[in-house]
Each structure stands twice: as structure tokens, then as C-alpha cells.
Amino acid sequence: MDMRPPPPATQTQGHLLIDDVVKVYDPEGAAVLAVDHCTLEIEPGEICMIVGPSGCGKTTLLNAVAGFHDITSGRILMDGEVLCSTDRPRSTPGPDRIVVFQNGALFPWKSNLENVIFGPVMQGKLGRREALDKGRAMMGDAGLSGVEHNYPGEVSSGMRRRVEIVRALMNDPKVLLLDEPYRALDSLTKSVMHEALLEIYYKNRVTIFFITHDLEEAIFLGHRVAIMTTRPCKPKKILTVDIPHPRDYSVLTSKRFRELIEETNDAVHEEALKAFQAGEKEG
Amino acid sequence: MAATLPVVAEDDAIAVLREATPFGEASPVVLSRIAALARPARYAAGERIYTAGDAADDIFIVASGRADHVFEPEVGAREPLKRVTRGGVFGWAGLLLGQTRRLATVTAVEPTEVLRIDTEALVALLESQPQEGGQVMARFAAMIRREFAVPELLAQVRRLSGPLTEEMSSLSLTMYRLSLWLKSPRPYLMLIGFALFLGIWYLAVEVWKLPRFREMPGLTTVVKEWFSPSPTYGLSLYTEEYYKHIVVSVWRVTQAFFLATVLGVTFGLLLGWSQRFREYVFPVFEMLRPIPILAWVPLAIVMFIATESAVIYLAFLASFYATALNTMLGVQSIDESYIRAASCLGASQKQVFRHVILPGALPFIFTGLQISIGVSWFSLVAAEMVSGQYGLGYVINTSYVMVRYPTIIIGMATLGLVGYTTSALVRLAGDYLMEWRVRELALAER
Ligand SMILES: Nc1ncnc2c1ncn2[C@@H]1O[C@H](COP(=O)(O)OP(=O)(O)OP(=O)(O)O)[C@@H](O)[C@H]1O
Ligand SMILES: [Mg+2]
């Protein structure tokens, strides 16, 4: 199996290396081994999709990259720089690696535009006025003009997701970390969101680390799809999607797409079954 | 093709608009300006008016005839088919957030006359009249949700922008909600409730003279005393004394409430924010909190030589607990992912506090303040009854000692009114500071 990712873009920043990472929750007590010697390399500007059964440890891995919790051993590097390692187990969260959360984390008390300019203004990178201009322009690009002054609670959940991605991109991050951002959406909105995400991506080729349950979503969006084992989590199979970008919805009905689904479906199903049986045993 | 003949005169156009739900409450001036935008059109029976997926340009108001409005299945409307007749409005998709295409197919069933209004022209007109414009949009939203049974997620109308609507702040939203409330049956039910209460009081005491009620001051006696320029027992709307008592009580509550808010919010934020602080302080706090305020009276009098500060201290104490506890809960209720998101976006500890913790805890803080103002009055009156020379609690207590029963009731009723006003003020302040919440609740039509 070819473990080397294809060179997807002319991007030079945003190389992510997860190197032999182990994460044990509650080592003194229950000692849940969530991530087990996981190694994964993501090239600059690549969309890498992470697929795995529920509770396998995907979010755990993402949180380690983002700096929300410690790792037990191993190391994580971005562009050759050590984010965290066995000696310094927690990386510092920062605007170079921005997370878009499973349930969305736009501040409901700020208008969409205020949310979007939050990063640069807090970091003092832009003045308020410049930030507002940039924010308006980026929202316009993402098809969000007209809702700048609405609060997140006033727009549809699909729009909220787009606002959140724009909020992340305002910081010129090297890596976007998306944790099942479209889980709660209906399939119609979801398909629109996929195209919208790709459109945004083609304009700003950042590295994307994207967690999902949905194999079709993974193959449609990703350059590569990492299929994870059930807990403890590590890559079981890495699929290179040889459908060229830019992609649009016609891909979904193409022969190659169907073939790729068939090729991976077994691996995914097998892990899901294992997870289910493990759950039966525990329960 | 649709014939665009001047089938309807301007006056008729206004009459049709007035029958349409969204424009029903618009003023004559706005109506005639909308009518000026309207272009009449006529469709033959069986003629297609537009098809789902077309660009959503005009809004249609039916003047006569009948049309079938059929939603695309994706819209998820509860009733895909809707028949529209005179006063019916369709073609409003262009008013929805992010919607530019028709969501339904509309066919004339009979020869049908309609008024067509360009969506953007209408929006521009509404934007020039932010107050009324906002109401028209709100009525559109309500109509789309109710009459067309479109799911809430989709039925979100555009927000009018423009220099003036930016000022359509929480205060005018509150006013708008007030006007909705006045149009609903609720205020009238409330009035009936009051009338029943007063009626029973009147009948029980003065007409039927029921056993236990006989000794009580009757409604008419109290009202006469209250409104009398020369009251029998010395206290009425016309005496200076009356206002002095009110002012003294209000001033005491204000001081107590202000202190309790400043200290309680600070203390509560610390409790919620710092685990260390919480571990030291919270057990003591929880021990002291259940002690009833009245149990503090002797100690307060010993502690503060001046009665004034003792009374304020007692009113402060209960408020402080309520505010601090709710603020702490507010901080703890904040979703971890907001804090994580802020740290991802490069916010410092201080900025997280200012931009996430504080606004995130605000709904709970205001719940606390609502309780706080209530218990503040409660303990104030208790304290005034024990000590002090002025205030509404003092009035009630001395009137009891001196057998001036109607004055007791005047004191109680005044307390009710003043207490209600202060808590309404607190709620108004909350609405003002939490516009986002007012909007969310307005959307949920609560
Ligand atoms: N703080 C914690 N303490 C102990 N165990 C934990 C903790 N957080 C997560 N776990 C366990 O670690 C495992 C992996 O959790 P994680 O949230 O990473 O899964 P996931 O792959 O993101 O699942 P999902 O697809 O449901 O989001 C789960 O079995 C979970 O129960
Ligand atoms: Mg997860």
C-alpha cells in the first residue's frame, strides 16, 4: 500500500506529522487506551479525511493536535516544528491550527461578522476596521452576504457552519481541523455544504484534517482517506482518491467513485462491527 | 403569457394589499407606497405563473381568482399543496435568507388577477421605514411558517439592513414584542384575572361579610382612603408622607441591590472561573446561604450601630447569595468548546474572560438578578418591620400596631406595584444587554 500522500497543491505550509502517538485517558484509574501508536503524515494543502467507528478515538487525536489535552507518548510536528512530544505533552492552541467543532462553536452573543473578525482582532493582527473589511469580503466570497449582522442563532445551521469556517480562515491557518462538522445536517444541506467547502478550499488551499463517519463524504472531499481501527485508534488503511480536484457533484455518480466506495466499504464495515461487538461485551 | 393590463386601480390595489397578511397592519402611507410598486397582471385558467427553480424576483398578491401553490418536496412543507385566493401572498422565496430561487410551482386554476411587486424594490422600501418595515418582515415570516407550514429552519426572512435598521435595537424589539402582546388575548385575560380578584375581595368582605373576612378592610374603604386628599389614617396619594416612605424603601433597595450586583457578580465569576477559589470559599458560602435573613437581624443590629446600614445590609445579604450563585452556575454552564474556540483563535486568558465567560454567563446572571431584586424587597420589608423609622415595611408594621387596617393594605399594594416595576426594569436591562437572546426568543416566538 502506498503510504505516501500525493503532492496535491503548490502549498508549502501546513505539513502535519503525527508520529507514533499514544493517548491513554485516566492512566491511574480506568486507563482507557484511546490512541495506540498512531502515525499519519499529511502533506501541505492536502485534504485528509479520517473515517472510523464511533468512539474509536478520532476526536482524541484531533484534540491532541489542537492542544486541548496531553498525549501520553509520541510526538506531533507541524512544518518540522515539534508541537508536542513525550517531554512536552501538550501543544499550545493557536491560530495556525483552528478547530471547527462537532456541535459548532460560534459565539451566540456576537453577530456573525463579529464572530468572523474575532481571531485577528484578539491577536491584534488587524485593526477593527481592517478586520471588518476583510471579514465582509470573506463572508461575501463564501456566499454569506446579508447575514453579517444576524446572530448565529438567527441563521440556518448550514450557514452557521460556513460562518465558522470563514472565522477560521480569517486567521490564515496552516491546518483546519474539522470534527464532523456536517453531522447534524440533513443530506440536502450536506451536499450543498460539501460543494461550498470545496469552493472555499480552492480559494485558500489550507491543509484539512477532516473527521467523519460518512464514507461517501470522505471519498468525495478527500485527497486521501484514512480508515481508522476501532479503539485504540490508528490507521488501518489509507486510501488515495485518484479523482482529480476540482471536483463537483458529478463525481458522485462516476464509476471510479463507486469503485472506491466498494474497495473501502469492507474495511469500514469490519471496524464498525468490531466496535459494535466490543460495545456488546462492555455493556 | 401574462397580460399586464391596468386591471386594478390604485385604490383597489390598496384594498387588496390590506387583505394580505403581511401588510394587514401597515399604515396608509406605507400601503400606498407599496401599492405604487405593484404591477397588475392577469393569468388564464390553467396558466403556469412560475415554476420551482426559477429566479425568485416578484412577490404576488392575489386580487381575484384562484391559484394552486405546490412546494418542491425538498422544502419539507407539511402541506405541499396550498390554494391561494384573494389576499393570498406567494412568491416570497426571495425574502428568505440565502434563497434566490422559487421553491414552488404556481398555476392559475381560474382566471386570476394578481399584483406583482419586485422583491428588491419592496425590501428597499421597507428598509426606508425600519420600524414598520421590520414588522412587515416579521409578519411575512409568521405567514410563511403558519399559512404555508414551511419548516422553521427554512422560513427565516432576510434582515433589513440600512442605516436606520442598525438602530432597530433590542429596545425597539422589546417594544415590538410589547405591541404583539397587546394584540394577543393575554393582557385581557390578565385584566379579567384582576377584576375577579378585586371582585371576590369586595364581595367577601363588604357584601357577603364572610366570617373571617369581616374584620378585613374592604375594597372600597381602602380605595377611598388611598385616593383621599384628607385620609382618615394620615396616608394617601395626596400626603407627602406616602412618597417619603416609597422613596426611602426604593433608595434602600437600590443601594442593597447595587452592592449585591457588583459584589455578587464578581464573587460568582471568581467562584466559577477559579477552581482553587471555589474549593476554599464555596463550602462556607453554602453553609451561610440557608440561614434565613431574619436570623441575621439581631447580629446586624449589633454589627451596624446605625439602623440604616443594618437594614441595607439585610436586604443586601439575600440578594448577594442569589446573584453570586447564579453567576457561578452561569460560568459553569458555558460550553467548553466556546473556550477552546477562543483559545484556538488566539485569545488571551483575559480576552477569554471578557469575550466568552462574561457574555456567556449573562443569561444566568440576569436570572440571578431577577431573583435578587425580589428577595431584596422581601428582606428589606422584613428588616423595616423590625427596625427603622421610614419605609413601606415600617408603614405596615406601625399601622398594625396602631390599628389602621386600610393603611396596611395601601402599604402592601404599593409594595406590589413598586416591586413589580423594579423587576420589570431589571428585565428590560437584561433585554438591552442580551440582544442576541431577545432575537433568539423572538424567533422561537416565546
Ligand atoms: N476524558 C475522557 N476520559 C476517559 N475516556 C475518554 C475521555 N474522553 C474520551 N474517552 C474515551 O475515549 C474513546 C475515544 O473517544 P473520542 O471522543 O476520541 O472518539 P471519537 O472517535 O471522536 O468518537 P465519535 O465518532 O463518537 O465522536 C471513547 O471510547 C471515549 O469513551
Ligand atoms: Mg468525536
Side-chain angles (χ1 to χ4, degrees), chain A residues 37-248:
Chain A
H37 297 283
C38 171
T39 298
L40 185 66
E41 186 175 1
I42 304 174
E43 289 298 302
E46 184 191 349
I47 303 180
C48 183
M49 307 295 290
I50 313 292
V51 182
S54 193
C56 82
K58 305 178 295 294
T59 301
T60 305
L61 196 59
L62 180 139
N63 284 347
V65 178
F68 299 150
H69 58 49
D70 295 356
I71 58 173
T72 310
S73 72
R75 39 179 214 151
I76 299 177
L77 282 81
M78 189 169 67
D79 292 335
E81 192 188 318
V82 180
L83 293 177
C84 59
S85 62
T86 316
D87 310 326
R88 189 176 156 278
R90 185 185 296 212
S91 62
T92 318
D96 49 353
R97 286 156 282 134
I98 297 193
V99 178
V100 174
F101 291 86
Q102 202 158 345
N103 297 313
L106 287 176
F107 306 124
W109 47 87
K110 287 182 183 287
S111 72
N112 289 325
L113 186 58
E114 292 282 348
N115 264 290
V116 163
I117 66 168
F118 187 82
V121 170
M122 290 299 119
Q123 298 154 41
K125 264 183 14 193
L126 292 179
R128 228 188 115 73
R129 171 135 305 156
E130 299 156 286
L132 284 172
D133 287 343
K134 183 173 174 191
R136 271 200 208 94
M138 287 201 61
M139 285 183 76
D141 272 354
L144 289 166
S145 18
V147 300
E148 289 94 339
H149 301 293
N150 286 91
Y151 288 96
E154 293 179 293
V155 301
S156 67
S157 50
M159 273 197 199
R160 279 203 286 277
R161 283 308 144 90
R162 264 187 287 166
V163 174
E164 203 170 346
I165 290 171
V166 171
R167 175 172 82 173
L169 291 174
M170 279 288 282
N171 302 279
D172 303 313
K174 295 178 180 172
V175 182
L176 268 190
L177 303 161
L178 293 101
D179 191 350
E180 292 187 65
Y182 306 142
R183 185 187 215 171
L185 302 185
D186 60 283
S187 59
L188 199 78
T189 314
K190 210 166 165 175
S191 63
V192 177
M193 293 305 297
H194 289 155
E195 285 193 322
L197 176 70
L198 284 180
E199 205 173 295
I200 294 174
Y201 168 76
Y202 296 138
K203 286 181 193 149
N204 323 257
R205 293 206 176 232
V206 291
T207 306
I208 294 182
F209 180 99
F210 190 125
I211 296 178
T212 178
H213 274 131
D214 179 346
L215 190 57
E216 290 207 13
E217 169 172 87
I219 295 179
F220 177 64
L221 292 174
H223 290 101
R224 284 188 311 152
V225 178
I227 293 155
M228 309 307 251
T229 58
T230 182
R231 209 183 77 208
C233 171
K234 63 174 160 203
K236 174 190 176 87
K237 173 175 173 150
I238 295 182
L239 171 81
T240 301
V241 182
D242 50 9
I243 300 171
H245 274 280
R247 298 177 193 163
D248 64 30

Side-chain angles (χ1 to χ4, degrees), chain B residues 10 13 18 71 90 95 109 190 192 205 256 258 272 281 301 324 327 331 335 348 357 361 437 444:
Chain B
E10 163 121 7
R18 197 177 306 244
F71 278 116
F90 58 88
L95 289 176
V109 192
M190 184 182 88
I192 294 175
V205 179
F258 178 78
V281 175
I301 296 175
T327 305
V331 174
D335 193 333
S348 65
I357 305 294
R437 233 160 164 263

